[in-house]
Amino acid sequence: MFYAILAYHVEEAITALTPQEDAALMTDLLQINERLYREGSLGPAARLGATQDACTLRGPGAGMVIDGPFAETKEQLLGLYVVDCATRDAAIAIARDLRRVNPTAVYEIRPISLYLPGVPLPVTQP
């Protein structure tokens, strides 16, 4: 079964990292990504752009586009992983690995009821 692991964090804490601190964090996270890839359980993963660049589409008909984050929360959704796990406990174990190297993040684990793989995206860095 596929699970989404949604990574929430206080955005200012991440943007306050020095380039060296951010690179060290990404090195640790990418080691987990590489292991999951070798095990065949890693689907798409993304580090999202700044919430200030986000917009939300809501409402009837064509809807209305609203600038800014989609929720009034202290923590913002900053990234996500899609993992293929046999059990919920296995997905939780992966989230615990991620949290071990990024202990101030919050990870939501949610089953995916429909997964439609698309064209692979190139790896990008901000």
Side-chain angles (χ1 to χ4, degrees):
M1 169 149 224
F2 289 106
Y3 290 87
I5 300 177
L6 307 174
Y8 290 87
H9 211 291
V10 176
E11 189 169 16
E12 290 80 21
I14 295 301
T15 58
L17 295 174
T18 66
Q20 296 80 14
E21 292 168 329
D22 187 59
L25 173 60
M26 290 307 298
T27 296
D28 290 342
L29 291 171
L30 289 172
Q31 287 177 353
I32 296 170
N33 288 13
E34 289 169 10
R35 187 195 82 222
L36 297 173
Y37 179 77
R38 284 191 310 272
E39 293 171 356
S41 60
L42 181 65
R47 187 178 204 185
L48 301 178
T51 56
Q52 69 190 23
D53 297 332
C55 65
T56 302
L57 176 65
R58 68 172 74 231
M64 176 173 54
V65 176
I66 302 166
D67 288 336
F70 54 86
E72 295 288 332
T73 63
K74 180 179 175 185
E75 299 157 342
Q76 290 81 36
L77 177 62
L78 299 184
L80 62 98
Y81 296 83
V82 174
V83 294
D84 187 5
C85 298
T87 66
R88 179 177 179 259
D89 287 341
I92 291 170
I94 291 170
R96 284 191 173 127
D97 283 344
L98 294 168
R99 189 148 197 265
R100 180 180 42 77
V101 299
N102 193 7
T104 58
V106 174
Y107 292 96
E108 175 185 345
I109 297 94
R110 188 183 302 183
I112 295 176
S113 58
L114 176 64
Y115 177 73
L116 301 172
V119 176
L121 298 173
V123 175
T124 61
Q125 294 293 324

